[in-house]
Amino acid sequence: MAQPRLTDFFARRRPGPRAAPPRAKPAWRTPSPAKPAPPTPARTPGGSRKRARPPAEPTRDHPAPPARRRLRLPADTVSSPSALAAPGSPEEATLSAGQLPCLAAQEDKASSKVTLSELKSCLQRARELGARAQELKASAQRKDAGEPCVLEDQGQPAGPCGQKAPAYQRFHALAQPGPPGLVLPYKYQVLAEMFRSMDTIVGMLYNRSETATFAKVKQGVQDMMRKRFEERNVGQIRTVYPASYRFRQERNVPTFKDGVKRSDYQLTIEPLLDQEAGGTAPQLTASHLLRRRQVFGQNLVERVREHHRAFLASLNPPMVVPEDQLTRWHPHFNVDEVPDIEPAELPQPPTTEKLATAQEVLARARSLMSPRMQKALSDLALRTAKSGSPGSPGPALPATPPATPPAALKGVSQDLLERIRCKQAQKQLAQMTRQPEQERRLQRLERLPELARVLRGVFVSERKPALTMEVACARMAGSYRAALSPGEMEKHVQLLSELLPDWLSLHHVRTDTYVKLDKAADLAGVLARLAHVARAEAAL
């Protein structure tokens, strides 16, 4: 192989004719009808790779292009804004003068749509505000007339007519943990918490011999509960527990506030306590607070019991439950819909008579008239009333139609319906008078069929004739679908041995308890016996 010479390198770098020129990279340009695309400059063979200079300097006929390029669209791509030229294109994308009005018209149309939608939303909002104002005005008129529209929730401002309470208030009794019992409504529980806070504040002020005014108590209760506390709530507390406080209107009470004058009347609150044997002033101690709180809670429960008795009397057939045996409310009794407590009247500051209107002036002047003039005016008023309302008998009210059975029960014997209603009433009565221990036993009986299946699987997997109570309860707790403690699981095992002694037996050896199970017994028969026992005890 011949050795290459040094002159061959310079010969290769020397420019000369080439057989096949290299392929030029096509330049993507946006077609423009305004001016034709310039021809692609041909590369000189062997020339440098520098970009070519502009052909000539701009003249008067051709002004210099601006420093910042403008992106313009061709006429055939006006409707598609994505047809812009690439930023790195060597030519400028131009737009004909006829395309500008089209774009402006499109922008005006879009802005008009946005403006129209905004106007519609504003109009709808104005209508809603007007309707709300009308509702509030009507509710205020009814309130002045003595007909409240919607009962105000405890600690919450009253809403417009027809507005429902939140779900956590309407279904508060259903969300309580633990077994069902004599649960109070949400508004009653809030009122009990208000009484506890109020008793705490009043006790602090009373123990240091300071006059407790409503303004001080209101601020303290609102700081503790983060809820509104008004005179209406104080009236409700007085209705539930009348012997709790003594209310008076007093003045010359130091307030240390700029907005309240010393000569103004203020509502003062004083707790009612039994006098001690020594004759000294009693103190509102923690035991007094706890006892007063218990009395207030019992009074609230008694009020709910009254509504519950009325509900039971309205059933068909009516039910009567002894008060000492009632452990829970009727399943169809909606606790959270119990009517609100009517506030009691509180002492009001004495009002001085001031004549402010012409009607009041005339009423005062009437007392200065002579007896003959008063008699003449009363006779004239009677004659006017008789002529305006003639004594015509009013139309007779239509008789109340008899109650008709629903369409679904059409054709069913009434005796059968009465027997079903009586049986259902007996079942509900037994459910309302059931003791908490019996309720827990029924819950265990409902779990026993599944626990029996789990326990047999534990013995089959362990391959042992007997297991200690700790091991068996730990295996069952790990295999059961619900979370139960080992102690609760041990109670279920003891109940199983009590109901089925021939299938499961317990043996006490020294300090340990062993569980022995008959794996040869039919599991289906065992489950059937447990289900029968559960149904029998639930029917009692």
Side-chain angles (χ1 to χ4, degrees):
M1 181 177 180
Q3 183 176 3
R5 294 179 298 177
L6 185 60
T7 56
D8 293 342
F9 173 77
F10 295 101
R12 291 175 184 175
R13 297 295 298 174
R14 188 177 302 136
R18 298 182 180 180
R23 180 184 297 177
K25 185 177 180 180
W28 300 96
R29 300 180 180 88
T30 304
S32 175
K35 72 176 180 180
T40 306
R43 294 182 58 184
T44 58
S48 64
R49 297 184 180 181
K50 294 183 179 180
R51 187 175 298 176
R53 292 179 178 273
E57 293 296 331
T59 59
R60 292 183 178 180
D61 297 337
H62 302 280
R68 181 177 296 178
R69 294 185 178 183
R70 297 178 181 177
L71 298 179
R72 300 179 181 274
L73 293 175
D76 54 349
T77 58
V78 169
S79 59
S80 60
S82 61
L84 296 173
S89 176
E91 70 171 17
E92 297 180 13
T94 59
L95 183 67
S96 62
Q99 297 166 6
L100 293 176
C102 298
L103 292 178
Q106 291 180 358
E107 293 179 358
D108 295 343
K109 187 175 181 180
S111 63
S112 64
K113 288 182 180 179
V114 174
T115 307
L116 184 59
S117 62
E118 291 179 355
L119 289 176
K120 287 182 178 180
S121 63
C122 293
L123 182 60
Q124 182 66 20
R125 179 63 178 169
R127 289 176 180 174
E128 293 177 359
L129 292 176
R132 183 178 176 84
Q134 293 292 336
E135 291 179 357
L136 293 177
K137 185 177 180 181
S139 63
Q141 293 177 357
R142 280 193 290 268
K143 187 174 180 181
D144 294 339
E147 300 176 0
C149 174
V150 178
L151 293 175
E152 181 180 358
D153 293 331
Q154 300 291 342
Q156 301 292 337
C161 297
Q163 183 179 0
K164 290 185 177 180
Y168 74 92
Q169 296 181 11
R170 289 186 283 117
F171 307 105
H172 178 262
L174 301 178
Q176 295 302 308
L182 300 179
V183 184
L184 289 174
Y186 175 79
K187 47 192 173 184
Y188 283 18
Q189 291 191 6
V190 173
L191 187 63
E193 189 67 19
M194 285 183 175
F195 174 77
R196 185 189 69 83
S197 304
M198 178 180 175
D199 221 21
T200 304
I201 300 298
V202 172
M204 292 173 58
L205 297 175
Y206 178 78
N207 291 339
R208 61 191 185 194
S209 301
E210 183 177 348
T211 304
T213 61
F214 174 72
K216 299 177 184 178
V217 174
K218 176 181 178 180
Q219 186 63 34
V221 173
Q222 290 185 160
D223 291 343
M224 292 177 64
M225 294 194 59
R226 303 297 180 186
K227 292 181 181 294
R228 292 180 57 186
F229 186 71
E230 305 292 343
E231 289 190 10
R232 180 175 182 272
N233 305 123
V234 180
Q236 290 176 334
I237 291 174
R238 188 177 187 181
T239 302
V240 177
Y241 194 2
S244 58
Y245 300 104
R246 180 186 293 112
F247 299 94
R248 289 193 296 263
Q249 285 286 345
E250 299 180 2
R251 59 182 177 178
N252 297 327
V253 178
T255 57
F256 305 105
K257 287 187 178 180
D258 298 335
V260 181
K261 298 180 181 179
R262 192 182 181 91
S263 59
D264 293 344
Y265 282 93
Q266 298 187 59
L267 180 64
T268 59
I269 305 170
E270 180 184 356
L272 295 176
L273 301 175
D274 298 334
Q275 292 292 334
E276 296 182 357
T280 59
Q283 295 287 319
L284 196 57
T285 59
S287 59
H288 286 89
L289 294 176
L290 184 59
R291 184 169 61 253
R292 289 160 63 92
R293 182 181 178 185
Q294 291 175 354
V295 172
F296 190 84
Q298 292 172 2
N299 293 349
L300 288 177
V301 173
E302 186 59 33
R303 284 187 166 271
V304 183
R305 283 177 185 268
E306 295 177 1
H307 296 288
H308 186 253
R309 282 195 295 267
F311 173 79
L312 294 181
S314 65
L315 296 177
N316 185 18
M319 298 177 60
V320 178
V321 183
E323 294 298 331
D324 55 345
Q325 299 180 7
L326 184 66
T327 58
R328 67 173 69 182
W329 308 121
H330 192 276
H332 297 162
F333 178 65
N334 195 342
V335 184
D336 293 300
E337 290 186 359
V338 171
D340 205 350
I341 299 173
E342 292 295 332
E345 293 185 2
L346 297 176
Q348 299 297 328
T351 57
T352 57
E353 189 176 0
K354 295 180 180 180
L355 302 179
T357 61
Q359 186 70 21
E360 296 177 357
V361 174
L362 291 176
R364 173 64 67 85
R366 183 175 299 175
S367 61
L368 303 177
M369 296 180 182
S370 62
R372 294 184 59 185
M373 186 177 294
Q374 291 184 7
K375 185 177 180 181
L377 289 176
S378 61
D379 294 342
L380 179 62
L382 288 175
R383 288 196 300 269
T384 306
K386 288 181 180 179
S387 61
S389 58
S392 58
L397 296 177
T400 304
T404 57
L409 301 178
K410 193 173 183 179
V412 182
S413 174
Q414 292 295 328
D415 296 338
L416 178 61
L417 291 177
E418 291 297 331
R419 288 197 300 270
I420 292 175
R421 291 192 183 102
C422 290
K423 188 175 181 180
Q424 186 178 8
Q426 292 177 1
K427 185 178 179 180
Q428 292 173 351
L429 179 61
Q431 187 178 5
M432 287 188 291
T433 57
R434 188 176 296 159
Q435 298 298 326
E437 295 81 7
Q438 189 178 1
E439 182 68 26
R440 288 192 288 267
R441 179 180 173 85
L442 288 177
Q443 291 179 358
R444 294 192 187 107
L445 287 175
E446 292 177 357
R447 301 191 193 107
L448 283 187
E450 187 173 355
L451 287 176
R453 189 183 295 108
V454 171
L455 182 59
R456 187 179 183 278
V458 169
F459 271 89
V460 170
S461 62
E462 292 290 338
R463 298 182 182 180
K464 293 180 180 179
L467 294 173
T468 59
M469 181 66 77
E470 292 78 7
V471 174
C473 292
R475 298 289 190 277
M476 292 173 66
S479 302
Y480 189 56
R481 56 183 175 84
L484 292 177
S485 62
E488 186 69 20
M489 195 63 70
E490 184 176 351
K491 294 180 181 178
H492 287 80
V493 174
Q494 292 175 357
L495 185 58
L496 268 175
S497 65
E498 176 187 345
L499 297 177
L500 303 174
D502 55 341
W503 183 68
L504 183 69
S505 59
L506 302 179
H507 302 276
H508 300 279
V509 179
R510 295 180 182 177
T511 58
D512 294 335
T513 302
Y514 288 86
V515 182
K516 190 175 182 180
L517 184 138
D518 185 9
K519 292 185 287 187
D522 185 16
L523 184 60
V526 171
L527 299 181
R529 291 166 60 185
L530 291 175
H532 177 71
V533 172
R535 285 195 301 269
E537 293 205 12
L540 295 178

